[in-house]
Amino acid sequence: MNPSRFFDGLYISFWIPAAVLTAALAIKLPSIIKLWKDPLLRAVGGLLVLACGVFVFAAPATITWTNRVTGVPNFSAPLVYSLITAFCGSCLLLITAWRNGISDRSDTTRRATRWVVSVYSGVIVALWVLFALADAPVERVHDLDTYYATTAFMREEILLYLLAHTVACLITYRLIWNWIRTDGLDVWLRSGLKCLGVGYAMNLIYDGSKLTAVVARWTGHDLDWLSTALSPPVAAVSAILIAVGFILPHAGQYLHRRAHTRLSHWRLRPLYLLTRTVTGGRVPFKLRATPELRLTRRETFIRDALLHLSRYIDEDLDQRAYDAAVGLGREAGRARPLAHAVTIQEAIDTKRRTREDDATAPLRSPDIEDLLDGIEAVSRALRHTDDIRAVRERAAAAAESVPAP
């Protein structure tokens, strides 16, 4: 079986990774605009633009269009090679700044930055000089690397960009996997780094297949399928993984926060409905309100209602209810919210039985700070109606067993 036919079936259009990279840039763009002074975010944006540019200008249709517009056969070659080289340098700079922190101004960091900028800028200049010196009159859209592998100056240009790309991928891959092994990373950042690591590892496969095909031409062999059939899908998958690696920490943390906010809003519903019976009002509904704003408004409503109810809260009942919950085998972390829930229910009943101007109304000023801090746990406890009923009955029985003074 001809290997080239097998990999032809795995063809992935260059426009797919370009679209994924564009989506990654679109997701990052609001943060980049909002925090434009952050050089790290600007570096991420620049890197995604370069990566997208690589696949746009490496697409066969764009190569043909560029060559026709410029009137220079194979003008796309140094253009695409330069974009790839600039992307490699940007990766090294970004990973160094991302890991060490943008505020790191140590001599080592500054020296590494200068080295990357100077070396990869020199490589880009050399690519154009070599192309100007080379004789490459025949336009090659799909197999330029192997077709001109033995042509003077084009040979050096192809080898130069592949070596620059390989070195950058090796260093970036090592930096990423060393970073992954450090402690204190959240799950989203670690997952994103793993995607980046696999993406750069696949870039090394791309470089290896290209270099093997070129060296085979030097020795009189034909392994062009490694360059024309294997390398393109490997590069496309690599770009998709790199885009996902940049998206995942941002999107994952955002979705996690949004899910946690909605869950907290839902958990507060039982206590919210209960406290509505105290004030007779409700949180005003606004269609465009964000989940964070809705949660804040619900929390504020509940806290205000509990403060209004505080004079009716019986601390002795709260303690008896807590002892009752513990006596029923509930752990302290669950017994306290159950006791608070029983106390709030009893306070509401007491308020209903009295009037604001009633002389028999209790005049208490209990400490409800613990209650206000644990409203979500109290709200969850209200869902366990059987436990609430059992604690309330046992607390009432304990109150009756205490002799009157």
Side-chain angles (χ1 to χ4, degrees):
M1 178 180 178
N2 188 351
S4 63
R5 294 183 179 178
F6 173 77
F7 286 104
D8 284 342
L10 299 179
Y11 174 75
I12 300 177
S13 172
F14 279 9
W15 297 109
I16 295 177
V20 175
L21 290 163
T22 302
L25 180 61
I27 291 174
K28 285 284 188 182
L29 194 59
S31 298
I32 295 172
I33 295 175
K34 185 178 180 180
L35 303 173
W36 179 251
K37 293 184 179 180
D38 187 343
L40 189 58
L41 282 175
R42 292 203 305 268
V44 172
L47 184 142
L48 291 174
V49 169
L50 285 172
C52 187
V54 168
F55 284 93
V56 169
F57 284 96
T62 310
I63 290 175
T64 303
W65 177 84
T66 303
N67 293 337
R68 184 177 68 251
V69 169
T70 59
V72 179
N74 301 310
F75 183 86
S76 285
L79 177 61
V80 174
Y81 295 163
S82 297
L83 288 172
I84 293 175
T85 303
F87 171 75
C88 294
S90 298
C91 290
L92 287 175
L93 293 175
L94 177 62
I95 295 300
T96 301
W98 194 4
R99 180 177 180 181
N100 297 338
I102 202 66
S103 60
D104 182 14
R105 300 297 181 185
S106 64
D107 291 339
T108 304
T109 302
R110 288 198 299 268
R111 189 163 51 250
T113 301
R114 287 195 299 268
W115 181 86
V116 171
V117 172
S118 59
V119 169
Y120 280 84
S121 297
V123 169
I124 292 174
V125 172
L127 289 173
W128 288 98
V129 171
L130 289 170
F131 180 75
L133 295 174
D135 183 20
V138 180
E139 182 183 58
R140 307 303 299 183
V141 176
H142 299 282
D143 61 346
L144 184 140
D145 292 342
T146 51
Y147 184 86
Y148 288 108
T150 57
T151 302
F153 298 112
M154 283 298 292
R155 173 183 60 233
E156 287 76 11
E157 175 169 6
I158 294 167
L159 184 61
L160 179 61
Y161 105 83
L162 285 175
L163 289 178
H165 188 256
T166 302
V167 170
C169 290
L170 277 172
I171 296 174
T172 307
Y173 175 82
R174 180 180 177 183
L175 289 173
I176 289 173
W177 284 104
N178 286 341
W179 190 6
I180 289 174
R181 289 195 290 267
T182 59
D183 298 328
L185 302 181
D186 66 67
V187 63
W188 297 109
L189 178 56
R190 193 180 299 275
S191 300
L193 289 173
K194 287 181 179 178
C195 286
L196 288 173
V198 175
Y200 283 105
M202 295 194 70
N203 264 326
L204 293 174
I205 297 175
Y206 167 87
D207 293 327
S209 59
K210 284 279 188 180
L211 284 169
T212 302
V214 169
V215 172
R217 278 289 185 132
W218 295 349
T219 59
H221 297 82
D222 184 2
L223 293 177
D224 289 5
W225 64 271
L226 288 173
S227 177
T228 58
L230 174 61
S231 295
V234 169
V237 174
S238 170
I240 292 172
L241 287 171
I242 290 173
V244 171
F246 283 115
I247 293 173
L248 201 56
H250 179 275
Q253 291 169 1
Y254 170 80
L255 293 175
H256 177 74
R257 288 195 304 268
R258 184 56 61 89
H260 183 268
T261 300
R262 292 185 182 276
L263 181 60
S264 297
H265 188 270
W266 176 79
R267 285 174 173 172
L268 287 175
R269 178 176 171 79
L271 185 55
Y272 167 66
L273 295 177
L274 182 62
T275 52
R276 278 181 58 184
T277 62
V278 178
T279 62
R282 59 180 298 170
V283 175
F285 175 77
K286 290 188 177 181
L287 186 62
R288 288 192 169 186
T290 63
E292 291 79 8
L293 181 58
R294 291 176 182 173
L295 175 61
T296 300
R297 287 177 173 173
R298 177 164 286 188
E299 289 176 340
T300 303
F301 180 91
I302 292 172
R303 294 178 193 279
D304 290 344
L306 292 177
L307 288 171
H308 180 71
L309 194 66
S310 61
R311 63 179 296 191
Y312 301 96
I313 289 178
D314 187 348
E315 290 182 292
D316 293 335
L317 171 60
D318 186 74
Q319 184 60 44
R320 291 196 305 272
Y322 175 76
D323 295 337
V326 173
L328 290 171
R330 305 299 182 265
E331 297 179 355
R334 187 177 177 186
R336 182 58 65 188
L338 285 170
H340 288 333
V342 170
T343 305
I344 293 172
Q345 288 179 339
E346 184 61 30
I348 292 174
D349 293 341
T350 302
K351 184 178 186 301
R352 287 172 179 168
R353 291 193 299 266
T354 60
R355 300 190 308 274
E356 293 294 336
D357 58 348
D358 193 342
T360 63
L363 297 175
R364 305 190 185 100
S365 57
D367 182 8
I368 63 169
E369 183 177 352
D370 182 55
L371 172 59
L372 294 175
D373 290 340
I375 57 175
E376 186 173 317
V378 174
S379 187
R380 290 201 305 267
L382 285 170
R383 296 182 182 274
H384 303 282
T385 54
D386 292 338
D387 288 347
I388 294 288
R389 188 183 303 110
V391 170
R392 196 164 186 172
E393 290 174 355
R394 179 169 286 205
E400 292 175 357
S401 65
V402 177

